[in-house]
Amino acid sequence: MTASDERPGRTVRKAVIPAAGQGTRFLPATKAMPKEMLPVVDTPAIQYIVEEAVRAGLTDVLMITGRNKRSLEDHFDRNVELEVGLEAKGDQAKLARVQESTDLAQVHYVRQGDPKGLGHAVAVAEQHVGDEPFVVLLGDDIVDSRDPLLDTMIKVREEHGGSVVAFMEVPEDQIHLYGCAVAEPTGVTDVVKVSGLVEKPKREEAPSNLAIIGRYLLDPAVFDVLRETKPGKGGEIQLTDALQVLAQGDGPGYGVHGVVFRGRRYDTGDKLDYIKAVVRLASEREDIGGELRTWLADYVKTDGASGADS
């Protein structure tokens, strides 16, 4: 397959969500439950990701799954018995919440088999994606609905073609946790031209403080590159390595731009950050936010202070 010659401006319709990871950082909770199903307040993290895709007009969603991920499919499928029971009770509010996930998008599933890295997971999507640009959303990053990152990335793709990566600025002592960009300004605020990428560099070797976050808009040319990409850091096929080739090459589908995101992002891939995400999102809810904020303030003044001193 070769990338389409239709450049740029082709409509982006499809989203790919890699969800085959084992979630070892959240054991024992993820021993029998996918980490993507961990609730952020009362909604599984994976639903936030699908909702973000849908808001950007991406209603064709492919999830890359693995063993023990059946509950992901069940969540986005109908539960007839539950729906009938709620309808019989006249509980329309809960019924609507249950049906919401079913009606969000057309969700498809394919198994990755042996998880060999993000690049390998993206390659698994080739048959479904075909010759179209597509968005990859990683489930560890929840982007606030008030900050439409994907819309901006799609506009950059329409302007420049090629692929688009989302970045955020991080402190120097954290850059080793992320893929990092070599980038130059374009003259447009928070849009950069990427000339190189490094996967989790040492602090002293990082070319910038621009860290990749879990949003990519990829040209289908990436599939040809991934077929030639050898295992890299951690013995895995790194998407960063393929993007490096696209950034430095020339031809249809090549070239990489970046969007520097300055909005609200919630990291659910780390235990402490996951708890922060739950608290932040819950505190803004109309139904429980006010009471939670009052409790938190009281806790910090009393229980929290005494706990810190003990």
Side-chain angles (χ1 to χ4, degrees):
M1 182 189 304
T2 58
S4 170
D5 293 330
E6 204 171 332
R7 303 279 188 270
R10 182 169 181 170
T11 301
V12 183
R13 305 181 304 116
K14 295 181 178 180
V16 173
I17 304 176
Q22 295 180 323
T24 53
R25 284 183 289 181
F26 280 85
L27 286 170
T30 51
K31 178 181 178 181
M33 178 177 69
K35 70 171 184 176
E36 295 83 7
M37 290 299 295
L38 290 173
V40 181
V41 191
D42 56 2
T43 301
I46 190 68
Q47 184 169 328
Y48 283 92
I49 308 305
V50 175
E51 288 173 350
E52 181 188 354
V54 170
R55 285 194 300 272
L58 312 174
T59 56
D60 185 327
V61 176
L62 176 68
M63 287 192 193
I64 311 297
T65 68
R67 290 179 289 276
N68 301 321
K69 299 283 185 169
R70 180 61 184 271
S71 60
L72 293 175
E73 299 183 35
D74 290 341
H75 180 70
F76 292 98
D77 197 1
R78 291 194 62 192
N79 186 327
V80 177
E81 295 82 2
L82 178 59
E83 292 178 27
V84 169
L86 291 172
E87 190 164 13
K89 292 179 181 178
D91 196 338
Q92 296 301 316
K94 285 192 176 111
L95 178 61
R97 291 285 286 160
V98 167
Q99 293 175 333
E100 183 180 9
S101 59
T102 306
D103 299 333
L104 268 175
Q106 184 66 45
V107 184
H108 310 267
Y109 305 89
V110 64
R111 287 200 173 193
Q112 185 179 0
D114 293 328
K116 299 177 183 177
L118 179 57
H120 180 258
V122 170
V124 169
E126 181 176 6
Q127 185 172 359
H128 181 84
V129 167
D131 192 24
E132 297 184 38
F134 62 103
V135 170
V136 175
L137 303 95
L138 304 190
D140 287 347
D141 289 309
I142 294 177
V143 174
D144 196 291
S145 60
R146 293 164 291 187
D147 300 311
L149 172 59
L150 294 184
D151 288 343
T152 303
M153 294 176 70
I154 290 171
K155 289 177 182 177
V156 172
R157 153 80 191 188
E158 290 171 351
E159 178 72 20
H160 298 285
S163 296
V164 184
V165 180
F167 298 106
M168 66 178 183
E169 294 181 330
V170 300
E172 291 182 358
D173 61 354
Q174 294 182 17
I175 195 64
H176 69 283
L177 301 172
Y178 300 89
C180 178
V182 182
E184 297 83 35
T186 62
V188 177
T189 301
D190 291 334
V191 177
V192 297
K193 179 73 169 67
V194 177
S195 58
L197 292 156
V198 183
E199 180 65 21
K200 297 182 178 179
K202 295 179 180 179
R203 175 177 177 173
E204 61 273 15
E205 297 175 358
S208 73
N209 69 335
L210 290 180
I212 301 173
I213 60 175
R215 299 296 181 270
Y216 308 82
L217 200 175
L218 301 177
D219 190 277
V222 73
F223 294 125
D224 290 332
V225 177
L226 283 170
R227 275 191 285 275
E228 303 299 324
T229 301
K230 305 299 182 184
K233 201 146 200 170
E236 297 182 335
I237 297 174
Q238 299 289 349
L239 180 59
T240 303
D241 293 342
L243 287 168
Q244 165 89 348
V245 174
L246 290 175
Q248 296 183 340
D250 188 24
Y254 280 67
V256 177
H257 284 77
V259 172
V260 182
F261 182 61
R262 303 189 188 278
R264 287 154 286 201
R265 164 188 172 265
Y266 312 104
D267 184 354
T268 61
D270 172 82
K271 291 177 184 177
L272 179 58
D273 287 333
Y274 169 77
I275 293 170
K276 290 178 181 178
V278 173
V279 172
R280 287 172 180 167
L281 289 168
S283 67
E284 296 182 358
R285 292 261 298 245
E286 291 184 5
D287 55 346
I288 60 175
E291 186 175 350
L292 176 60
R293 289 192 299 271
T294 300
W295 179 84
L296 284 170
D298 183 62
Y299 176 77
V300 170
K301 289 178 182 177
T302 57
D303 299 325
S306 62
D309 294 338
S310 61

